[in-house]
Amino acid sequence: MTPHDEMLDNVAAYALGVLRSGEAAIVVEHMRACELCDAEYRRLRSAVTAVAYSAEACANAATGATAASPLLKARLMKQIRSAAARPPRPAAPWAWTAAAACLLAAIAAGAIDLSLNARVGEDRARIAQQGVTIADLTASSSRHFAFRNGEIITNGPRLYIAVRSLPAPPAGRVYQAWTLARGARSVAPSVTFKPDNGGAAVVPLPVDARSIAAVAVSVEPDGGSRQPTTKPIALVKIGQ
């Protein structure tokens, strides 16, 4: 990781409001001279605010109006601050900030419709799931298995791929996840994904992590494949 990548991590933490005052002052001073970091902060900070005012919107039964609630932000910030206070894992000290920043970036980029008056139920469910994901990635009970450019993360039955600085796949190609069930001889196809412009993504896999022995990622044609067609860029054992 380059020094500037580390600073981007600190910018994400500053946007989340979890840096100590001395560290925050260093970030603020850096952003005055770095347009890239300043733009990243503004983008993530707007996402933090959006989460606060839309994640737990409550419909008034009498009027049908929607009232925003700050409860989810409070819970997420408590979880993130607790993670920040713990010693970082040696394998990937950037994991919790990177994961949280990925999710906030997805919200800021419009991956979640934040309209409070249209499809409120769907929006609330989707954003609530983002809260579950952040909680899983930062929980003390989560297990992290590092590979180049990322980690496989489990927490109970839930399983995620978190990547950072992952190059965009070639045109007409996507990254595809594969899972190897315990006792199985071949991998099963899972979801396809592409990282954002910064090479980041957090991808939940729709399987029970407790039944999985390994996770792989390969580059496949758009739409995915039934069997891997290229050598995996990651193959990670996640045995208990």
Side-chain angles (χ1 to χ4, degrees):
M1 186 190 307
T2 68
H4 195 260
D5 287 338
E6 293 178 358
M7 181 56 70
L8 282 172
D9 279 351
N10 289 337
V11 168
Y14 180 60
L16 291 164
V18 297
L19 282 187
R20 297 181 179 87
S21 58
E23 295 170 327
I26 293 173
V27 171
V28 171
E29 184 64 26
H30 174 80
M31 288 192 299
R32 289 174 180 166
C34 179
E35 294 183 1
L36 177 63
C37 286
D38 183 63
E40 182 72 358
Y41 167 75
R42 295 178 186 277
R43 185 167 70 102
L44 293 178
R45 190 62 202 168
S46 65
V48 172
T49 302
V51 169
Y53 284 98
S54 63
E56 287 194 358
C58 305
N60 184 306
T63 66
T66 302
S69 167
L71 295 179
L72 179 61
K73 181 184 178 183
R75 288 205 298 270
L76 291 183
M77 291 303 100
K78 180 179 179 181
Q79 185 72 31
I80 291 168
R81 289 189 180 100
S82 295
R86 294 195 298 269
R89 293 176 173 87
W94 49 268
W96 73 268
T97 41
C102 288
L103 294 171
L104 292 173
I107 295 171
I112 298 175
D113 183 354
L114 294 177
S115 169
L116 296 181
N117 294 309
R119 300 186 298 172
V120 170
E122 179 183 348
D123 289 344
R124 271 193 284 170
R126 293 171 71 184
I127 297 176
Q129 181 56 50
Q130 298 295 315
V132 170
T133 300
I134 290 179
D136 281 339
L137 299 179
T138 61
S140 60
S141 58
S142 66
R143 303 172 70 225
H144 296 242
F145 305 88
F147 64 90
R148 184 178 181 182
N149 296 109
E151 290 184 305
I152 305 300
I153 303 167
T154 68
N155 189 34
R158 291 180 291 279
L159 176 62
Y160 304 88
I161 299 173
V163 297
R164 179 180 178 180
S165 301
L166 187 66
R173 299 273 175 166
V174 293
Y175 289 106
Q176 183 168 359
W178 306 87
T179 56
L180 180 67
R182 298 185 186 283
R185 294 186 176 181
S186 60
V187 295
S190 190
V191 297
T192 62
F193 66 95
K194 291 183 179 180
D196 65 16
N197 291 337
V202 175
V203 184
L205 303 187
V207 293
D208 188 326
R210 297 167 295 189
S211 68
I212 300 300
V215 176
V217 178
S218 64
V219 177
E220 302 295 334
D222 274 340
S225 302
R226 302 179 105 181
Q227 294 293 332
T229 62
T230 65
K231 182 179 179 179
I233 65 167
L235 178 57
V236 184
K237 295 181 180 180
I238 60 170
Q240 299 294 327

